[in-house]
Amino acid sequence: MTIFLRNRRSWVAATATALALASLAALAGTATPASASGRATATAATATATATATATATALLPASAAALKPASPAASTPPASGDPAVPAALTLPRPTGPYATGRDTLFLTDHERTDPWVPAAGARRLLVSLHYPARPGSGGDPAPYMPEAEARLMLAQRGLDDPEWPGLVAATRTFSRTDARPAPGRFPLVLLSPGFGTPRATLTGLAEELASRGHVVATADHPYESTGTELPDGRVLTCAACDEVDAQPDDAGRRKVLAAVSAGRAADFSFLLDRLTGPRPAWRHARTIDARRVGMAGHSIGGNAAASTMAADRRVDAGVNMDGTFFDPVAARGLDGRPFLMLGTDPDHAPGAGDTSWDEGWARLDGFKRWLTVRDSGHFTFTDTPAIGEQLGIVDPDAPLSAARSTTITRAYVTAFFDRSLRGRPARLLDGPAPAHPEVLFQRP
């Protein structure tokens, strides 16, 4: 994977960071970061991991840093003040559904569980963004994208140290309003889980799209599994789970830790379901949730967590894995006939390609299922990264699918799947190749 940074001087720092990260990032289907302390562990990857490094490198970083270079000689110097290449503001793609969207934030504590990564921290805590269908014209200001401290840590870990960028990314414009009044009715619930080392904010665009189409969407940050999670009191939790991955002596050890990440997230989401749909719900608008219709989607390790959660909790009716390795394998008994969508990069997640966990998982899925891969895509195609990266002038020639197409494809297939699985609506898009989406390949092993 080659990254071109247009009109930026940070490619030198990115090169040094990427050299240390490349082999660990090669673990199939993950965005495995260096430790939160800034250490980067260069460990030997297995032959399978090496084969899939291009598809799984950390966001905005190349699998081979030797190829990283500026787009032009001017890129080695900072842009002049007022340079039009420096965006004044970033924005997410506008949702396309008929509903306006609101957003709330919950901070929850599971007193039944000790945090698995930092036991000294006490009970497991979750930060959750709730996007929901709202009444037009209601609510206050647009909801913020992410705290600047989280943006700074995320970018720094990826070797992107331009001092302007954390503020720009944090201030990315969203389309959801705080304190918006819910639209009338009850709506299916979709749970979202981000990639390992990645803040929940990076799934905001998908959350807003689903909410605009009539879903309540709960996106969870899993503390100590992200480069940074800012708590309501201003403290920032860094990635202890990343340190645990770094500390493993071999690939088998790293995979065991990542399997524990996925299984732990299943416990997080079962707790979250209790707090959203139980007799004394934690969310003020919980009455808008139809607890009989629950789906889950995730990116990278979050996609694995969708299957782990379905295996552990019968309340989740359907799942989507967006480009994540099944470190925690799909249950041998299947998922009790519940539908599942695998949506990934091509060719890296095609049958018989580098990530054999998809072949194994496919064989165990026992309900309606689809295996789709997307030409010209990259590991972060299914997140906000392409839209934000393009606005910052970041180009990846190894994943040339544009931000517009990345957004359109992800929205179209994920919403079609949940329309079919949670609403019982026809979803012809899932029947076979569509002329409107020639990049999407239907795999039939």
Side-chain angles (χ1 to χ4, degrees), residues 148-244:
E148 187 167 343
E150 291 186 11
R152 182 177 297 107
L153 287 166
M154 180 181 71
L155 293 167
Q157 185 276 325
R158 288 152 173 79
L160 301 172
D161 62 349
D162 189 295
E164 297 177 13
W165 282 6
L168 281 170
V169 171
T172 298
R173 183 190 173 192
T174 71
F175 290 91
S176 299
R177 300 274 174 175
T178 58
D179 296 320
R181 289 183 296 146
R186 301 184 72 204
F187 304 98
L189 173 65
V190 175
L191 310 171
L192 292 183
S193 186
F196 188 48
T198 307
R200 72 187 188 280
T202 56
L203 294 177
T204 299
L206 179 58
E208 291 191 328
E209 176 68 11
L210 289 167
S212 79
R213 291 176 172 270
H215 300 80
V216 175
V217 185
T219 311
D221 252 338
H222 308 273
Y224 301 112
E225 297 175 21
S226 170
T227 48
T229 302
E230 185 175 289
L231 302 182
D233 63 7
R235 287 181 295 153
V236 179
L237 308 182
T238 51
C239 196
C242 305
D243 294 339
E244 186 68 21

Side-chain angles (χ1 to χ4, degrees), residues 385-410:
T385 297
I388 291 175
E390 276 193 9
Q391 292 172 78
L392 291 173
I394 299 173
V395 178
D396 176 9
D398 290 335
L401 192 68
S402 70
R405 291 301 298 155
S406 298
T407 297
T408 297
I409 289 169
T410 303

